[in-house]
Amino acid sequence: MSAAPETRTSPGTRTSTEPRTAPAAGTSFAALREQLHTAAEEFAGGPDALDGILLGMVDDVDRAVREPLEIFPVCHHSPASALAMARRLREKRPRVVYLELCEDMAPLLTELRNCRLPVAVQAFASDIEGFPPDWAPLSVVAPITEASAEYQAVAYALDTPGVELVLVDRSSDHVFQWDARRPAGDDREEAAREDGAALHGEAVGVEIGDLRPRFAELEEHLLRHGRVRHWSEWWHQYVEVPLGDGDHDTYRQVMFLIGSLFRRLAPGDGDRVRVDEDRERYMWTRMREHLAATGTDPADCLYVCGAFHAASRVEEFGVHGADGFTVSPRTATTWQYGLIPSSHAAVEAQFGLASGSVSIAAAQWTKNLKRTRVEPYRLEGQAGTEKTPAKKTAAKKTAARKTVAGETAAKKSVAPGAIPGADTGPASAEDRLSGFLRRPPALDTLDEAELLGWSVDVVRAARRSGYLASTADAIAVFETSILLAGMRDRAKPTPYDFQDAAVTCIEKDTVPGRRDVRGIVESMMGGDRIGRVGYEALPPLARDVHDRLAPLELDLQRRGVRRALLDMTSRPELRACSDVLWMLRRLMPHGAARPIMGERRLGERSVQESWDLALGTHQRALIELGYEGVSLEQVLEQRLRRTAYGPRATTAEVLAAVEDATLYLGGRRLADELGTRALEVLAGERTVDGAPEVLRRVRGLLAYYRTAEPALPPWIESFVRAGYAHYCTLLPTAFRDEDATVGQVAAMLGFLFDMEGLALSLGCDRTQLELAVAQAHPEDPAKTALLWAARVRLGTLSGEELRDRCDDLLASPLVVPSYPRYLSGFVHALEPVPGLADVVVEAVSKAFGRLPDSALLPWLPVLITTLRSNAGDLAPLLIREAGRIFPARLPALDAWIPPWRRPPAAPRAARPGPAAADAPRGAALLPAHPATCDALAELLGCTEEWAPAGGPPPEATGAALLTVHPDTCDALARLLGRDEPWAPAGRLTA
């Protein structure tokens, strides 16, 4: 087979431009070639494309079988592949194992012994360089389960002395360099967001042995003729079961054939084909470099890769392949590596497998081990596996060391070019495909005991979940499973047949419990097994969190919710635990650390707290925190800085970062730095979108600093001064801007009026605010009412004038429909001018009292919706004021007269002049009880004596201005309600 010359420059560079040629046809598959050629002529009427495809598949198998470096094709999480791998490793005992996995993940594999499978090896990058910013964070995962061939290879290489494990696939950085991003609507990403399948997040999965047709019509054809619903069931029925008891050569040739079939019938997706071929060039280049550097004999090596890549046709294929493929350099992105928990559901969601297929594969793996008595490889100390006695382990290591040493010596004594050992080498491989393809499928006999046990177990589990299942349902499931298997040309029901039968016979219209029948069957077959990363394999930050929370005396590594009770009064050491929990609540997803009792706000600390902790369930999030720093404080500080110095940071967000820094980190260093940044962001804003949040944050920070600090920080004084000038500048524009809401304008006025005293003391000019209000000319009714309230607050509009304007609005029929919007503005005005609460209550009461039903009924829903949507948080202030004005009891309401309807008080008589009265005046209590007045006189240093009772008043000793200019005193007297006349000139009353 040949192809056109090709030159590649990116991501790798091919210097050779020779055409790709197929290997010379060998004699091992001559009979098979002849049979396929005859079949192609008979079906197609002569040699055509079908003949080329069939014979090309045989060429691919022949080429892979004859490769001196043994290729072991695998399928992703396949029990048959894992079983064949365990057998081959014990027979061949290779000295070097090449594994299709990202080469930069090699240091993590030794930590697998500290974990409970399934787990995933992860490469993570939050700060990226060389990639689009919207790709961040980058994450690559490679899930590993016990029923997988790659785990068998890793366990063998790590626990066998003298064996080297080499990862040869592209690095994590090249995964994103070479692969195009998936579209937003990808089904796998949508599935990964479902509950129970989100342990990998949105990470890109390294598909080791991903073997599935890329030709949709081919997959549809296989599923239809196989009478199955999805690809996982077809693979289980037609590949897993037949290959479970096959020999090594048959397994390899069948997997080579399947990989070649899917490769030759793949659609013309140029990007995906390019990436696949570059990966194959990369892996073969790395293997040749390792062989040349170490001088290892290819016969002592084993190359574990996906069956799709095993049937490769690139020029670089094989130990004698073409050289010249150069790899593009990595970007400047800093990658972090670790292990994260995985699950069967996460693997299924990420790689597009059917629900429950990985659990069924795990059950099949256990069954295969019992049936074949093959001893699998397991890492020593692996959690969740059987412990091996120390003596037995030492004996195994000694035997393995002797075996490897003996095989090495024997291979050195073999003549060059010969394949040593009893193991048949690639050159002597025989044709096993012909017999396998001709042989009819072996029909498994019905195991009635196994099926009966399944039926009883599923009914028992269904009862526990709330189903009204009975013994009759168990019999129905048993018989229906056999019936479905017969309809699908199977003598023995598969787990998928049994699952369909259970759903048919037990599932009702509604699901009474937490699981449906399909989930019950999956749980019974092994369940959604969830892995866990051990303490020793956690990053430093995660270990530090567990160490600091150790006083709680809870097993926080287990999944599920743990209740923690903290009494800091009796156990002061728990205050440090409280600090950690509040930081975890700030940094981790919702539910990882949820407070039940207690709160933390500026200036407030709870003495007792109660928490629901689920750190084991959210272990992945905790591990990914460890990629950002070595402690929670460092990670929180980095995130706060990233928020504050981001290109789209707002003043409200920076002030929130200041508050978080004060709450969780303490000290003034970071808070002052972020506060200075808030001042810079405020100076650059040209909108008032964040004014309500800014007002709320600044109020809280000012209240905290005034009570907890001896003096205000310099940054907040500068912020108040700059904010006063900033909002005065934007105020006229905001009143006219249609995009600025009445709540935002009210928040601006609230900032100006609340901070006015501090701002004026810092050098601001009140005239600027008065000019800004005078320049405002709103058209919106709500903003108009808000402007009137601001003028009342500044003193340019009296309360009586405001009431008159409200009366004029109610008297105009044209304005009545928009009167609720005026009320909305008045309610918002309670934010900057809370003293207008009585005016707002009066305006609402007058509307309800004066408007007829024909105008009030259509107008009432508008009022309610307007107040609820625009001023819901200010309604309590209005309600309290109404409760103060209206009578508290219902009987008093009939005789009650509103304050605005009461007749005005009669005018007081004119106050007489200074010489009108000579009689002494004053309070009678002062001469009757002079001790209080004497004490006050002594305190003020007054030495005058009391005037005699009834005698002439003493000489005037007060200020002469009062008698010279009596108008000021008269005005004050009228304001206080005093109507006494002036004393004679030169006299003062006692």
Side-chain angles (χ1 to χ4, degrees):
M1 181 178 299
S2 62
E6 179 180 5
T7 302
R8 185 172 295 278
T9 57
S10 178
T13 302
R14 181 200 296 273
T15 57
S16 175
T17 58
E18 297 180 0
R20 293 178 294 182
T21 57
T27 59
S28 298
F29 298 94
L32 180 60
R33 286 191 177 89
E34 183 64 26
Q35 293 173 6
L36 293 178
H37 179 71
T38 304
E41 289 184 346
E42 181 178 352
F43 283 101
D48 58 353
L50 177 61
D51 181 62
I53 292 175
L54 295 178
L55 296 183
M57 291 165 53
V58 180
D59 292 339
D60 292 340
V61 175
D62 192 13
R63 182 186 188 189
V65 169
R66 293 179 180 277
E67 173 59 36
L69 195 160
E70 181 178 342
I71 305 172
F72 195 95
V74 299
C75 177
H76 191 66
H77 301 295
S78 167
S81 296
L83 189 66
M85 173 63 72
R87 287 173 172 169
R88 186 56 181 167
L89 290 174
R90 296 196 179 278
E91 294 173 358
K92 183 179 179 65
R93 295 283 181 177
R95 296 176 55 192
V96 178
V97 176
Y98 297 112
L99 183 61
E100 178 192 339
L101 191 62
C102 294
E103 58 184 2
D104 52 340
M105 293 182 176
L108 292 175
L109 298 181
T110 57
E111 298 294 338
L112 288 175
R113 67 179 74 254
N114 298 319
C115 306
R116 185 179 65 189
L117 300 180
V119 296
V121 186
Q122 182 185 39
F124 185 88
S126 56
D127 298 329
I128 62 176
E129 296 184 18
F131 299 106
D134 56 343
W135 287 18
L138 304 179
S139 181
V140 180
V141 298
I144 298 177
T145 63
E146 187 175 356
S148 59
E150 54 267 24
Y151 175 71
Q152 295 297 309
V154 170
Y156 163 78
L158 295 182
D159 283 351
T160 304
V163 177
E164 183 179 4
L165 178 64
V166 183
L167 306 186
V168 294
D169 200 0
R170 56 186 174 166
S171 66
S172 303
D173 196 272
H174 288 95
V175 170
F176 289 94
Q177 286 190 40
W178 294 3
D179 284 357
R181 298 289 284 183
R182 295 174 179 172
D186 193 280
D187 293 338
R188 295 185 184 182
E189 290 187 2
E190 292 297 331
R193 297 187 183 99
E194 297 178 0
D195 294 339
L199 288 177
H200 297 171
E202 296 183 357
V204 175
V206 179
E207 301 179 353
I208 304 175
D210 180 29
L211 202 56
R212 185 169 184 171
R214 297 183 182 178
F215 190 41
E217 287 77 2
L218 173 61
E219 182 172 348
E220 181 182 358
H221 175 82
L222 294 176
L223 297 183
R224 183 175 65 254
H225 288 273
R227 299 183 181 181
V228 294
R229 293 170 301 160
H230 42 70
W231 175 250
S232 300
E233 186 176 357
W234 186 93
W235 181 266
H236 172 85
Q237 177 66 23
Y238 295 99
V239 179
E240 286 290 336
V241 175
L243 289 181
D245 297 325
D247 60 275
H248 173 62
D249 291 336
T250 302
Y251 168 82
R252 289 183 66 209
Q253 294 176 21
V254 170
M255 295 294 287
F256 286 145
L257 183 68
I258 296 175
S260 178
L261 171 65
F262 293 166
R263 192 182 188 99
R264 290 181 177 272
L265 294 183
D269 187 352
D271 291 337
R272 188 167 186 179
V273 172
R274 172 186 58 81
V275 172
D276 289 333
E277 292 182 351
D278 284 338
R279 290 179 64 186
E280 293 156 6
R281 297 186 181 101
Y282 190 102
M283 291 187 285
W284 281 109
T285 300
R286 286 288 186 257
M287 285 186 285
R288 286 196 298 271
E289 291 175 354
H290 181 268
L291 291 174
T294 60
T296 307
D297 188 353
D300 297 335
C301 305
L302 186 68
Y303 172 34
V304 182
C305 67
F308 189 88
H309 297 294
S312 175
R313 292 172 289 164
V314 297
E315 290 182 357
E316 289 80 2
F317 179 87
V319 295
H320 302 297
D323 294 324
F325 178 77
T326 58
V327 181
S328 59
R330 300 185 186 182
T331 65
T333 300
T334 302
W335 290 89
Q336 304 287 338
Y337 301 92
L339 296 171
I340 62 174
S342 182
S343 66
H344 292 169
V347 175
E348 294 161 358
Q350 187 166 9
F351 298 107
L353 304 178
S355 177
S357 59
V358 178
S359 298
I360 294 176
Q364 184 70 25
W365 160 254
T366 304
K367 186 186 300 183
N368 289 345
L369 293 180
K370 293 180 179 180
R371 187 185 71 254
T372 60
R373 299 184 182 277
V374 173
E375 185 178 358
Y377 287 95
R378 291 188 176 94
L379 289 172
E380 295 182 10
Q382 182 82 58
T385 60
E386 298 180 0
K387 296 183 179 180
T388 305
K391 294 183 179 179
K392 188 176 181 181
T393 302
K396 283 186 178 181
K397 286 186 176 181
T398 304
R401 189 179 296 107
K402 292 181 179 179
T403 301
V404 173
E407 290 178 353
T408 303
K411 290 175 182 177
K412 289 182 179 179
S413 63
V414 176
I419 305 300
D423 180 83
T424 58
S428 60
E430 299 179 356
D431 177 14
R432 302 296 179 90
L433 280 177
S434 299
F436 183 84
L437 296 177
R438 288 179 180 178
R439 185 171 65 246
L443 300 178
D444 294 341
T445 58
L446 175 62
D447 190 346
E448 294 187 0
E450 180 187 52
L451 182 59
L452 186 60
W454 286 357
S455 302
V456 174
D457 290 342
V458 73
V459 169
R460 183 185 298 112
R463 286 175 180 172
R464 288 197 298 265
S465 296
Y467 287 92
L468 300 178
S470 62
T471 305
D473 293 320
I475 298 174
V477 172
F478 180 86
E479 298 294 341
T480 306
S481 300
I482 298 175
L483 177 62
L484 289 177
M487 295 173 61
R488 296 167 179 174
D489 294 336
R490 294 193 278 268
K492 179 181 179 180
T494 65
Y496 298 96
D497 298 328
F498 172 75
Q499 188 179 53
D500 293 341
V503 172
T504 303
C505 299
I506 300 177
E507 189 69 85
K508 304 300 186 293
D509 295 337
T510 59
V511 179
R514 298 177 59 186
R515 290 181 178 175
D516 57 3
V517 175
R518 190 173 301 278
I520 292 173
V521 175
E522 293 174 6
S523 177
M524 191 183 68
M525 292 292 177
D528 183 17
R529 188 175 304 169
I530 300 176
R532 184 174 67 185
V533 180
Y535 175 85
E536 294 79 6
L538 291 174
L541 181 143
R543 293 200 299 267
D544 179 63
V545 169
H546 286 288
D547 293 341
R548 295 167 69 176
L549 294 180
L552 298 179
E553 299 177 357
L554 298 174
D555 187 4
L556 298 178
Q557 287 192 324
R558 295 181 58 186
R559 293 182 61 85
V561 178
R562 300 288 182 271
R563 176 62 60 87
L565 302 176
L566 286 74
D567 185 2
M568 275 77 77
T569 303
S570 59
R571 297 183 61 186
E573 68 273 11
L574 295 182
R575 294 187 182 275
C577 297
S578 176
D579 296 337
V580 174
L581 293 178
W582 284 108
M583 284 189 286
L584 289 176
R585 179 177 180 267
R586 172 63 173 77
L587 295 173
M588 294 190 66
H590 175 73
R594 185 168 62 93
I596 304 300
M597 181 184 68
E599 60 181 356
R600 174 163 293 194
R601 295 188 298 180
L602 288 175
E604 297 183 10
R605 293 291 188 274
S606 301
V607 296
Q608 289 184 338
E609 295 176 355
S610 175
W611 291 80
D612 276 351
L613 304 178
L615 298 184
T617 305
H618 296 83
Q619 194 179 48
R620 178 183 68 87
L622 182 61
I623 291 173
E624 289 182 353
L625 279 182
Y627 300 154
E628 302 182 42
V630 297
S631 66
L632 289 176
E633 289 80 3
Q634 181 185 6
V635 174
L636 181 57
E637 181 174 346
Q638 291 176 355
R639 290 194 179 184
L640 294 178
R641 291 179 185 275
R642 192 180 304 120
T643 300
Y645 290 93
R648 298 182 180 179
T650 63
T651 305
E653 293 175 348
V654 181
L655 290 177
V658 174
E659 185 174 340
D660 289 343
T662 306
L663 277 177
Y664 305 120
L665 299 179
R668 289 274 300 274
R669 176 187 57 84
L670 181 61
D672 291 349
E673 177 185 344
L674 298 181
T676 305
R677 171 61 180 170
L679 183 61
E680 299 173 358
V681 176
L682 177 67
E685 287 186 345
R686 294 297 177 265
T687 63
V688 295
D689 296 341
E693 186 68 13
V694 171
L695 175 61
R696 188 178 69 84
R697 298 285 183 183
V698 171
R699 279 178 175 172
L701 290 171
L702 275 175
Y704 169 73
Y705 287 130
R706 282 169 173 167
T707 56
E709 301 288 342
L712 292 178
W715 75 265
I716 201 167
E717 294 182 349
S718 301
F719 187 89
V720 171
R721 184 169 56 249
Y724 189 86
H726 178 74
Y727 284 134
C728 283
T729 304
L730 296 181
L731 189 60
T733 305
F735 269 109
R736 295 190 303 268
D737 189 4
E738 295 180 356
D739 295 332
T741 64
V742 62
Q744 294 170 354
V745 179
M748 294 175 60
L749 291 173
F751 183 93
L752 294 171
F753 292 146
D754 284 3
M755 311 298 163
E756 185 177 16
L758 179 60
L760 295 180
S761 67
L762 296 174
C764 294
D765 189 359
R766 194 170 192 263
T767 307
Q768 188 176 7
L769 175 58
E770 295 175 350
L771 292 175
V773 173
Q775 294 173 359
H777 302 287
E779 298 179 357
D780 182 68
K783 292 182 180 179
T784 301
L786 189 61
L787 177 62
W788 294 345
R791 293 182 59 187
V792 171
R793 176 66 170 76
L794 292 175
T796 59
L797 185 69
S798 65
E800 293 298 330
E801 293 176 343
L802 180 61
R803 289 181 171 88
D804 293 340
R805 294 190 179 188
C806 293
D807 294 339
D808 294 341
L809 294 176
L810 284 175
S812 175
L814 298 178
V815 182
V816 167
S818 60
Y819 192 72
R821 301 178 63 186
Y822 283 95
L823 291 180
S824 175
F826 283 130
V827 174
H828 277 96
L830 298 179
E831 179 77 39
V833 191
L836 284 181
D838 58 339
V839 178
V840 180
V841 172
E842 178 181 343
V844 176
S845 301
K846 286 182 178 180
F848 277 88
R850 296 182 183 180
L851 292 179
D853 292 345
S854 59
L856 185 61
L857 292 179
W859 173 80
L860 191 58
V862 179
L863 172 64
I864 296 175
T865 56
T866 302
L867 295 180
R868 177 179 295 180
S869 60
N870 297 334
D873 53 340
L874 298 173
L877 179 60
L878 195 64
I879 294 172
R880 286 196 300 269
E881 182 64 22
R884 186 185 65 84
I885 294 177
F886 287 87
R889 298 186 178 276
L890 186 60
L893 186 61
D894 295 335
W896 176 72
I897 299 176
W900 52 88
R901 286 190 179 181
R902 295 172 185 171
R908 294 187 298 268
R911 181 180 300 275
D918 295 332
R921 299 175 296 110
L925 288 176
L926 290 181
H929 303 281
T932 303
C933 193
D934 290 341
L936 181 59
E938 183 180 356
L939 180 64
L940 297 177
C942 298
T943 59
E944 290 81 359
E945 298 292 336
W946 281 84
E955 295 294 332
T957 58
L961 288 176
L962 294 180
T963 58
V964 177
H965 303 283
D967 295 339
T968 303
C969 194
D970 290 341
L972 181 60
R974 285 195 301 270
L975 182 63
L976 298 177
R978 302 295 296 274
D979 55 358
E980 293 83 358
W982 276 87
R987 295 285 188 178
L988 287 178
T989 58

